[in-house]
Amino acid sequence: SQTIHQWPATLVQPVGSPLSLECTVEGTSNPNLYWYRQAAGRGLQLLFYSVGIGQISSEVPQNLSASRPQDRQFILSSKKLLLSDSGFYLCAWSELGTGFTDTQYFGPGTRLTVL
Amino acid sequence: SQQGEEDPQALSIQEGENATMNCSYKTSINNLQWYRQNSGRGLVHLILIRSNEREKHSGRLRVTLDTSKKSSSLLITASRAADTASYFCATDASTPGSNYQLIWGAGTKLIIKP
């Protein structure tokens, strides 16, 4: 069966510090991968998606970036965090060949607080 | 404004009662999905209903879709304490300059009282 991991679970970082969040998927090949951010009490905002190694599409211009160095690894980064980067970050995957709007499977999330 | 908007924002019912949540959207869709999120956790997919379907069932869950009214409802029958969570609808939408993606509502927070 497929599983998706995210770490760390929680993170407290000072403004201006770098960020690296990691997501890995097991039990599937060539998945579509997604990074979302969820503000408190709100829905999800798509940040990045990837259809393959090295292929990243950004939906929201900001100081975050994403990379996919391996087929089942997706990394969210920032060189300098802003207060507005605080939130709950979720990684998700969907089956290769399905559209971006078919069923997505989510990781447990990372709670980021920027102080 | 959001493509999908859930109603009500919050719902509190007694265990054993039925819970109904609604989702309205603005543009034509290919499918609509419902997800559950326990507090501080990731989302779990519940049901996907396609635009040519009117109703789907999964255990105690029943989803309806009315494309003429651009709305969907999620019914949870015989609610349990474990159903306490936030419920989100997500629809597919194409936005200018972007590929198709899921557009999420703000969710309905459901509390089941023992």
Side-chain angles (χ1 to χ4, degrees):
Chain A
S1 64
Q2 301 89 358
T3 56
I4 178 169
H5 304 278
Q6 276 187 253
W7 64 92
T10 60
L11 190 59
V12 179
Q13 292 285 97
V15 169
S17 64
L19 173 74
S20 181
L21 303 181
E22 189 163 344
C23 170
T24 59
V25 181
E26 296 176 356
T28 187
S29 296
N30 303 316
N32 298 321
L33 295 172
Y34 312 84
W35 277 113
Y36 288 93
R37 179 169 57 203
Q38 183 181 29
R42 303 296 299 276
L44 277 64
Q45 178 187 38
L46 180 65
L47 301 176
F48 301 95
Y49 65 92
S50 171
V51 299
I53 296 174
Q55 299 180 63
I56 309 294
S57 295
S58 173
E59 289 298 315
V60 182
Q62 55 203 328
N63 69 319
L64 299 173
S65 62
S67 62
R68 184 170 177 174
Q70 299 181 42
D71 179 46
R72 290 169 289 177
Q73 183 184 29
F74 207 20
I75 297 172
L76 183 69
S77 304
S78 174
K79 293 182 178 178
K80 287 186 177 181
L81 284 168
L82 307 173
L83 286 173
S84 57
D85 291 323
S86 293
F88 192 49
Y89 288 83
L90 289 156
C91 180
W93 71 274
S94 64
E95 293 280 358
L96 173 70
T98 63
F100 300 134
T101 58
D102 273 353
T103 300
Q104 295 183 12
Y105 303 93
F106 286 81
T110 294
R111 174 77 58 194
L112 172 65
T113 303
V114 182
L115 301 175
Chain B
S1 60
Q2 296 176 4
Q3 164 75 330
E5 296 186 8
E6 291 91 344
D7 167 59
Q9 291 185 331
L11 179 62
S12 180
I13 61 173
Q14 292 294 140
E15 191 169 20
E17 294 180 340
N18 295 341
T20 299
M21 290 157 273
N22 302 295
C23 172
S24 60
Y25 56 92
K26 294 180 172 60
T27 64
S28 296
I29 61 171
N30 293 309
N31 63 56
L32 182 146
Q33 302 180 53
W34 285 93
Y35 288 78
R36 183 186 74 230
Q37 183 181 33
N38 290 87
S39 181
R41 307 295 296 274
L43 280 74
V44 175
H45 179 257
L46 297 176
I47 289 183
L48 182 153
I49 186 166
R50 301 206 182 273
S51 60
N52 61 352
E53 298 174 307
R54 291 297 167 258
E55 188 172 310
K56 284 189 85 168
H57 297 256
S58 176
R60 294 183 295 112
L61 306 181
R62 174 179 164 242
V63 168
T64 61
L65 179 64
D66 187 335
T67 53
S68 67
K69 295 181 179 178
K70 292 185 169 60
S71 68
S72 173
S73 67
L74 170 66
L75 168 67
I76 303 174
T77 60
S79 63
R80 305 168 182 170
D83 295 328
T84 293
S86 291
Y87 292 81
F88 295 89
C89 71
T91 56
D92 62 315
S94 172
T95 58
S98 176
N99 293 318
Y100 281 91
Q101 58 174 279
L102 285 178
I103 306 297
W104 299 81
T108 291
K109 188 170 184 177
L110 175 65
I111 297 173
I112 308 299
K113 296 178 288 185

